[in-house]
Amino acid sequence: MNETSGSLQAGRIRGRLGSARIGRRLHFHRRIDSTNDEARRLARRGAPDGTVVVADEQTAGRGRRRRVWRSPAGAGLYLSVVHRSGDASEEMAAGIQLSAGIAVAETVAAAAPLEPSLRWPNDCYCRGRKLAGVLVEGEGGGDGLEFLVSGIGVNVNQSADDFPPELRERAASLRMLAGRPFDREPLLVDLLARLEGWEDVLRRRGIEPVVSRWLELSPGSRGDRVEVVTDDGTVIGRAQGLSARGGLLVRVAGGVEEITVGEVVRMEPTSTSERPC
Ligand code: BTN
């Protein structure tokens, strides 16, 4: 374990979470294949809404588009949350995706003066480098989604050597950017509380306030040139914000396209609106 990061301890985390809905059931593992895989296994066996799986190390951490999420012991936050809202709608799934990104960006902003920003659907960037990613996966019964799992990976105390060579210029940890190590436990607790808060907003008031907050944290999503990888190919155009159901709107030659599945892989300001992150 990285000696500066402080250890994660299940009992202490439970104590800090108190009576929160997300984390009332907390499964902690020193080492596991993937917290998303474990959360899905638990959910299939009936684990309730808000169940959290946290690991100090993942041996088969996964990212979107079949990427490996390198998860060394003691360095990052690796966690997954089971969501069962009873609402299997596309809007709820999109809202949870966006809420996870908001929770991560707000947690980072509260921990250090770093001005993080979001890239659709929920990657957290700072100074052009990726600090955190979210992998949301759903499983369904006959009538639609039975549960969703949101898996969150935050680079906290990694050093450049902890990232594979091809990512060293594109990824960073809080420690690399802020120049000091971070205690992961308070970050974890803050992240879960914010996720619960935004999911409550979503359940009570629908996706609209979530979309608004997400856009505040992603200024480039209204005007930057974006490259978006989708299942049907790459879309290049100018981001025009989000649709009412959380899809990314991109102005392309033929009009405005709404993308509901995919990810922004490149984002560049088109004017003088250069931002620090
Ligand atoms: C991405 O940016 O591609 C998403 C990365 C998601 C990584 C997290 S770490 C915790 C959870 N378990 C996994 O195997 N993946 C997610």
Side-chain angles (χ1 to χ4, degrees):
M1 178 171 52
N2 184 323
E3 69 200 24
T4 52
S5 60
S7 63
L8 291 174
Q9 282 184 17
R12 220 166 38 207
I13 298 168
R14 285 193 192 98
R16 288 181 188 231
L17 283 169
S19 61
R21 174 176 60 82
I22 293 187
R24 195 171 299 154
R25 302 277 180 99
L26 182 93
H27 298 256
F28 177 74
H29 297 267
R30 281 269 151 248
R31 175 191 282 177
I32 200 163
D33 50 358
S34 150
T35 57
N36 261 41
D37 289 346
E38 178 63 4
R40 291 171 68 161
R41 291 189 284 262
L42 291 169
R44 280 181 216 130
R45 298 203 300 268
D49 182 46
T51 298
V52 173
V53 180
V54 182
D56 191 52
E57 176 183 5
Q58 294 185 121
T59 54
R62 297 184 284 112
R64 297 192 304 269
R65 294 165 58 217
R66 297 168 191 255
R67 284 185 298 249
V68 170
W69 189 264
R70 209 184 257 201
S71 314
L77 278 178
Y78 321 115
L79 63 128
S80 301
V81 179
V82 175
H83 306 267
R84 278 182 206 277
S85 66
D87 174 349
S89 68
E90 197 185 333
E91 177 179 311
M92 179 59 66
I96 286 173
Q97 288 237 33
L98 299 178
S99 296
I102 294 170
V104 171
E106 288 185 344
T107 301
V108 168
L114 287 175
E115 292 188 53
S117 62
L118 291 171
R119 287 190 187 182
W120 188 83
N122 46 29
D123 284 338
C124 182
Y125 274 74
C126 193
R127 297 182 199 150
R129 289 166 180 247
K130 184 158 161 172
L131 265 183
V134 182
L135 173 66
V136 177
E137 299 177 306
E139 282 192 25
D143 297 335
L145 283 177
E146 195 184 315
F147 62 83
L148 282 170
V149 166
S150 58
I152 302 176
V154 185
N155 302 328
V156 181
N157 287 317
Q158 283 93 336
S159 59
D161 292 347
D162 288 318
F163 297 105
E166 67 277 14
L167 290 186
R168 278 189 199 143
E169 298 300 311
R170 290 186 281 139
S173 67
L174 276 171
R175 175 186 179 165
M176 288 160 65
L177 294 176
R180 67 169 177 90
F182 288 78
D183 188 352
R184 289 171 301 156
E185 260 182 28
L187 286 176
L188 169 64
V189 171
D190 191 30
L191 176 55
L192 292 177
R194 290 178 190 277
L195 184 57
E196 178 166 331
W198 281 106
E199 204 186 342
D200 285 351
V201 169
L202 175 69
R203 289 182 184 188
R204 282 199 318 271
R205 295 166 52 202
I207 199 171
E208 198 271 325
V210 176
V211 165
S212 298
R213 179 64 179 139
W214 191 95
L215 284 169
E216 281 173 7
L217 293 164
S218 183
S221 288
R222 284 192 276 214
D224 277 10
R225 274 187 67 74
V226 287
E227 195 175 313
V228 194
V229 175
T230 77
D231 290 345
D232 302 323
T234 300
V235 177
I236 297 175
R238 190 170 297 203
Q240 303 280 286
L242 300 185
S243 68
R245 57 179 179 161
L248 182 68
L249 299 172
V250 182
R251 177 166 294 284
V252 292
V256 175
E257 213 171 291
E258 182 195 11
I259 302 169
T260 55
V261 179
E263 66 176 27
V264 170
V265 293
R266 193 182 302 274
M267 204 163 180
E268 285 164 13
T270 44
S271 64
T272 53
S273 62
E274 288 286 342
R275 282 171 289 275
C277 290

